[in-house]
Amino acid sequence: MTTTPGATAVLDRDGLSALVAALAADGRTVVGPTVRDGAIVLAELDSADQLPYGWGVELEAGHYRLRRREDGAAFAHSAGPQSWKNFLHPQREKLWSADRQPDGTVEISAETAGRPSYAFLGVRPCDLRAIAIQDRVLTGGAFKDGGYQERRRGAFLIAAECAEPGATCFCVSMGSGPGVDTGFDLALTEVVDGTGHRFFVRVGSAAGAALLAKIPHHEADDDTRDAAVGAVSEAVDKMGRAMPPVSLRQLMGESLEAERWDDVASRCLTCGNCTMVCPTCFCTTTEEVTDLTGDHAERWQRWDSCFDLDFSYVHGGPVRSSGRSRYRQWLTHKLGTWHDQFDSSGCVGCGRCIVWCPVGIDITEEVEALREESER
């Protein structure tokens, strides 16, 4: 069956298994959701059988639990503790090493080996938007992250549209879901009904068309298409959260002295969990290590957080020494000054920062409180 960008098709579960096998046969490292350690995490997959069939999640502020489903769906779960940032922009990466030669000269070697060709299976619409945002941040300016650029260039993206958002999801109010229009190679919409368990497929690129042509699939029928479109449409009204319908950029700029910052600072642990799980936070630092002889040195890049007291350290002390100033920096950058740097918001409405905050701070609640205070 001939496929081209823009074409549609239907896969059954065997077809999904064939898709994973075809990606692996092409030499790609397939990464997707799977159940591990009481959560749905992103990990390398050897086969589609490792997908979380029959598992969903229960989400609330500071709360995450797996729950069994009766329908056997593979992608009926909301965002977990990881995002694709963990693979494209890893937590720790060696940049270069230096070795002193016998004649006293120093030889510097860039670290370029061992970067896999990824295939990401089950990318949520909010995470697809997050990848596009990180593309702009890490490759769109004068100073590019070469490691990210190389991993991203070879990544094959298979989106999974969202039909069942969680209680902490607010992607609709951020314009990043629950459906996808661009930025994918293939897009899947899972349908489980009386007709069976299947996946409506849309082709988004020539690479996606070439892959689909290699695996068993069926022509898209009207019933499957209508069920897929209807499920995504209904998900719009199932969002558990929403950002206030105001200009967040303007609100952040006008709320720098708001009393609400003291309120949230009294609860915030400044632990940085929100920045670690956020799919768009990108801040890093570098560290140098040497061996005992002093003849070998390495530079490593690792994630950092604006909640870290040393993050804003300059000679004499940190610029942002209080929890209030650090929380305000994170939120005003994410929703406000990110626009000035990168022409978009830095939030995609995935809700991870709400779920994985130890004290259950809700970003939508904080923004609503700032809005109410600004109108008093």
Side-chain angles (χ1 to χ4, degrees), residues 1 11 14 42 48 73 78-79 108 137 151 160 180 216 219 229 247 249 254 276 304 309 359:
M1 187 182 300
L11 294 180
D14 289 340
L42 299 176
S78 303
I108 298 176
V137 171
R151 287 183 291 268
V180 294
E219 289 188 9
V229 172
S247 169
R249 182 184 188 184
E254 296 174 350
M276 297 301 103
D304 205 350
L309 188 60
V359 295

Side-chain angles (χ1 to χ4, degrees), residues 11 14 39 72 90 99 115 133 174 184 200 202 215 227-228 287 315 371:
L11 294 180
D14 289 340
D99 292 282
R115 290 172 178 164
I133 290 173
M174 300 309 296
F184 56 85
F200 180 66
R202 288 182 292 136
I215 62 176
E287 56 187 16
H315 181 66
R371 183 194 66 79

